[in-house]
Amino acid sequence: LILTLFRFGFYLFFLDEMGKLSAEYVLNSFIIGLRFDARLSAVIVLPYLLLSPLPFVKGEWMQKIWKVYWIIVFSAILCFYIADLGYYSYLNTRLDASIIGLAKNMIISASMVWETYPVIPITLFMAVLIWGFSKLVNQIHSLNNGKIIGSKRFVWIYIFSIIIFLGIVYGKWSRYPFRWSDAFYSTNHSANQLAINPVLYFLNTYSWKEEIYDLKKVRKYYDIVSDYMEITNKDTSIFSFRKKFKTKYQFSKEPNVIIIFLETFPIYKIGYFGNPLNPTPNFDTIARNSILFSNFYVPKFSTAGSVFSAMTGLPDVSTTNKSSTRDPFAHKQHLLLNDLKGYKKHFFIGGSANWGDIGGFFRGNIDQITIHEEGTYSASEINAWGISDYDLFMETHKILKEEQEPFISVILTAGHHPPFSIPDIDGFEHTLFTKEHQINGFSHSKDLNAFTFMDFSLGKFIQLAKQEKYFDNTIFLILGDHGSGHPSQPNLFGALSLHNFHVPLIIFSPGLNLQHKEISDIASSIDLMPTIMG
C-alpha cells in the first residue's frame, strides 16, 4: 500500500508530464508497477514471516528489534523515493546506479543538491513521515498477544510464505521471471518510467554501473576510426560517425525485409562452404541464388549479443558474461528499423521474449513492433526454448501472408541448441550419425539432426513463401547468430580460433532481381542494418 502511494505521489509530482499519458498507458504502468512493488514488499516481509513464529525470537526484546527493523527499512525506502524524485526532475530518468558515480564528487554533488533542492523542508517532511510510520508500527505491535503459534499452524505459515514469496519474486507464469525490461513495455518514455520501482531498478543497474564509454579515448582515436570508416565529414565537436551514401538499387515499391537468425550456424558445418556430408541442402540452394558474404563475423559469442549488434549497428561491448540487451542503460538506441516509415514490424521467437530481456530491448527501441512469443502460437512447446523451428517458421508464414505490405520481420530460431528436441514432421528423416560426421564438425546424433532439421525448416518456409504474393517483393537475410568450436576444426590463425564468430550471411531476393555474387570482404553483423537500408 505504501509503495503504491509512493507511485501515485510520483505521478502527481510530475503531473505536467504524466498527465499527458493515455488512460491505457497509466493503467498498464500502474499494474506493472504494482507487480514490482509486490516483489519488493515480499523481500522486505519475508524475514519477519519466517522468523517471527519461532519460539526463540519471542519476547519484548524481539518486538523492539522488529520495530527497529521496520523503521530502518521504511526510512531507507523513503530516502530512495525522495532521491528518485530529485533524480527524475534533474535527469528525466528514474534513480539508477549511475548516482554512485555522481556521488564520488561528494563536495560538488552535495553543493549542487543544496543549491537545487529545498533540503531543509524535505528533511522535515521525511522526519514527519518516519515519525508517523513509527507510531503505526507501535500500534500494530501492540496487537500481539504474545502467544506461541502451534507447530501445525507454524508449518502452514512457512509453506504459504515461501509459495507467496517465490510467486511474487518470479513474477509471472512464464519460463522466465518478471524483469526490469518488463517496465519498458512501450516506446513511450513517460509510461515506462512510471512503471519502474526505483529501489529495484537501482539494484538492477548496479552491476552495469561501470559499463561506460571513455570520452578521452574517443577523442584520441576519433581520426583513426573516422579514416577507417571513410567518414568524409568529420566533426570533432560531437565526434560524429555519421556517413551518408546513395543506394544502388531502385524499387517500384517499398520491399519487405525478413531477417532470419539461425542458431549456432558455423561456416564449417555448411555444405556450400565445403562440408562433404551435405547437411544443409536447403541453405545451399538459397546461397547459390544469393549475394553471399563468405567472411562474415559476429562480434560476440552470444545470441542476444548478436541480435543487439545486428539491430543497433554497434558491437556489444558488455564486459560481463551478459548481453547489452540486458543492460538497463543501453535500452534506448537509434535503431534504423525505426527509419522504415510505414512498415509493420514483427519479432518472432519460439520461446519467451523475456529471455535475455530481448523483448524489452525490441519494445523499448522500436515503435509499434509486434512481439510473437510463447503463448501467442497455436503450436505446442517442445522444450525450454518454446516451439520447434519448423512450427516457428509455419507460424511466421501464417502471419506474414496475411500482412499488408510493407513489413520487416526478425525471426530467431533456437532448435540447434541443447536439448536438441525434434518433433515428428512429415518429410524430415533422421540421419544416422557416423564417424564421418564427427570428423566434419558434429558432436553427436542430436547435434547433427537438430542442425539438419533447422535447415529442413528453413527450406519449408522459403518453399511456402514462394507461393505467396509477398515473396516477389521481399529481401531475405539469413545469417548465423554465432558459430561454435569443434575438436575437428583447426584454429584459423594459429592459437586464435574464430569458429565461434565466423558465420554466413546471404541476401536472397529473386523477385527483386538480386543476382548471385560471392563477396569475400571482411564483414560484420554491425553492418547488417546499414546494408539493408542501402
Side-chain angles (χ1 to χ4, degrees):
L1 176 62
I2 289 170
L3 295 179
T4 301
L5 288 173
F6 282 169
R7 186 175 306 280
F8 189 66
F10 177 87
Y11 177 85
L12 293 178
F13 197 85
F14 298 103
L15 187 60
D16 287 347
E17 176 187 346
M18 299 297 163
K20 297 175 183 177
L21 293 173
S22 67
E24 182 182 3
Y25 271 138
V26 173
L27 182 62
N28 283 339
S29 295
F30 265 88
I31 290 173
I32 292 170
L34 183 65
R35 294 165 70 184
F36 283 118
D37 295 342
R39 170 178 288 175
L40 180 58
S41 299
V43 172
I44 292 168
V45 171
L46 186 68
Y48 181 78
L49 285 175
L50 296 182
L51 294 176
S52 61
L54 298 174
F56 59 85
V57 293
K58 291 292 179 183
E60 188 175 342
W61 64 275
M62 199 64 209
Q63 291 293 315
K64 291 179 179 178
I65 291 176
W66 283 124
K67 289 178 185 179
V68 172
Y69 171 76
W70 294 120
I71 293 169
I72 289 175
V73 168
F74 176 80
S75 301
I77 290 175
L78 181 61
C79 287
F80 263 98
Y81 274 84
I82 294 295
D84 177 60
L85 292 176
Y87 200 78
Y88 193 84
S89 65
Y90 190 66
L91 296 172
N92 197 231
T93 186
R94 301 300 290 268
L95 185 70
D96 60 49
S98 63
I99 196 174
I100 295 174
L102 299 175
K104 288 179 180 177
N105 301 308
M106 183 57 70
I107 296 176
I108 296 174
S109 297
S111 298
M112 185 279 294
V113 170
W114 179 263
E115 294 166 3
T116 307
Y117 304 107
V119 176
I120 294 177
I122 290 173
T123 304
L124 292 174
F125 175 71
M126 292 174 64
V128 170
L129 287 182
I130 293 169
W131 175 81
F133 183 76
S134 65
K135 290 292 184 184
L136 177 64
V137 168
N138 280 323
Q139 189 69 28
I140 292 172
H141 276 262
S142 68
L143 300 175
N144 180 29
N145 57 18
K147 291 182 180 179
I148 296 176
I149 297 172
S151 59
K152 188 174 181 181
R153 191 179 171 198
F154 170 84
V155 171
W156 279 111
I157 287 176
Y158 261 60
I159 292 172
F160 280 115
S161 297
I162 292 171
I163 290 173
I164 291 168
F165 174 75
L166 292 176
I168 292 175
V169 169
Y170 202 79
K172 64 196 310 185
W173 192 258
S174 169
R175 188 169 289 114
Y176 298 96
F178 191 58
R179 290 173 171 163
W180 66 264
S181 56
D182 287 286
F184 294 87
Y185 67 94
S186 74
T187 54
N188 187 298
H189 173 80
S190 301
N192 297 344
Q193 297 295 306
L194 183 59
I196 290 171
N197 178 295
V199 179
L200 296 179
Y201 191 58
F202 175 86
L203 296 174
N204 289 148
T205 57
Y206 184 80
S207 63
W208 297 93
K209 65 184 184 301
E210 301 299 333
E211 300 283 346
I212 57 175
Y213 59 85
D214 187 331
L215 192 57
K216 290 181 180 178
K217 288 186 178 180
V218 175
R219 184 180 292 110
K220 180 179 178 180
Y221 295 111
Y222 178 70
D223 283 336
I224 296 173
V225 175
S226 297
D227 291 341
Y228 174 75
M229 296 176 66
E230 299 177 355
I231 305 297
T232 56
N233 53 327
K234 294 183 184 180
D235 187 341
T236 55
S237 63
I238 60 171
F239 304 111
S240 171
F241 294 102
R242 188 178 297 273
K243 184 177 180 180
K244 293 184 178 181
F245 61 92
K246 290 185 178 180
T247 176
K248 297 177 182 178
Y249 301 96
Q250 296 295 328
F251 301 120
S252 59
K253 62 177 181 176
E254 298 291 342
N256 309 308
V257 179
I258 297 177
I259 303 169
I260 303 172
F261 287 92
L262 298 178
E263 172 65 46
T264 316
F265 203 60
I267 286 285
Y268 63 81
K269 283 188 174 183
I270 300 170
Y272 182 94
F273 293 99
N275 192 299
L277 303 178
N278 193 33
T280 52
N282 295 289
F283 178 87
D284 297 346
T285 300
I286 301 168
R288 285 190 284 268
N289 294 279
S290 301
I291 299 172
L292 181 142
F293 293 83
S294 57
N295 277 314
F296 182 80
Y297 297 86
V298 295
K300 194 169 189 178
F301 182 54
S302 161
T303 299
S306 289
V307 171
F308 178 87
S309 295
M311 295 296 102
T312 63
L314 301 169
D316 185 339
V317 295
S318 166
T319 54
T320 60
N321 292 323
K322 299 177 181 179
S323 65
S324 290
T325 59
R326 296 175 167 92
D327 182 358
F329 293 147
H331 80 276
K332 198 64 180 175
Q333 301 290 339
H334 175 197
L335 268 62
L336 293 178
L337 271 166
N338 279 326
D339 293 332
L340 292 172
K341 304 301 181 185
Y343 273 69
K344 295 290 186 65
K345 303 174 181 76
H346 299 270
F347 172 61
F348 296 88
I349 182 173
S352 170
N354 217 22
W355 170 82
D357 291 316
I358 208 163
F361 167 74
F362 275 109
R363 291 187 187 99
N365 282 294
I366 302 172
D367 296 327
Q368 297 180 327
I369 189 169
T370 303
I371 305 288
H372 306 269
E373 58 178 324
E374 64 180 16
T376 67
Y377 303 122
S378 58
S380 300
E381 300 165 22
I382 61 169
N383 59 27
W385 304 108
I387 63 176
S388 72
D389 287 346
Y390 177 84
D391 288 324
L392 177 64
F393 279 122
M394 295 304 103
E395 296 276 354
T396 300
H397 174 70
K398 184 168 62 177
I399 291 168
L400 295 186
K401 73 177 183 178
E402 302 297 332
E403 185 60 278
Q404 296 297 312
E405 301 181 55
F407 60 78
I408 181 165
S409 300
V410 180
I411 306 169
L412 181 61
T413 67
H416 184 223
H417 191 291
F420 302 112
S421 304
I422 302 174
D424 293 325
I425 300 293
D426 290 340
F428 176 72
E429 297 182 1
H430 287 254
T431 304
L432 181 65
F433 186 75
T434 67
K435 188 175 182 180
E436 287 297 307
H437 290 104
Q438 197 164 23
I439 293 171
N440 287 281
F442 295 93
S443 299
H444 43 69
S445 177
K446 287 186 175 181
D447 170 29
L448 168 66
N449 283 287
F451 189 78
T452 57
F453 181 72
M454 182 169 64
D455 177 75
F456 169 84
S457 304
L458 173 66
K460 287 293 184 183
F461 175 64
I462 297 297
Q463 182 181 333
L464 287 174
K466 286 180 178 178
Q467 301 171 17
E468 300 297 331
K469 61 181 181 179
Y470 75 81
F471 179 80
D472 288 334
N473 190 41
T474 298
I475 303 171
F476 296 84
L477 295 100
I478 305 170
L479 68 154
D481 64 343
H482 57 75
S484 64
H486 192 268
S488 68
Q489 302 302 308
N491 290 342
L492 300 180
F493 298 99
L496 178 63
S497 172
L498 296 180
H499 296 302
N500 286 343
F501 313 100
H502 191 194
V503 297
L505 167 66
I506 58 177
I507 305 177
F508 175 64
S509 187
L512 297 175
N513 201 32
L514 296 189
Q515 300 299 314
H516 174 65
K517 178 169 62 173
E518 186 167 324
I519 299 173
S520 60
D521 295 349
I522 300 293
S524 165
S525 58
I526 64 174
D527 303 317
L528 187 75
M529 284 308 300
T531 301
I532 291 173
M533 299 300 280

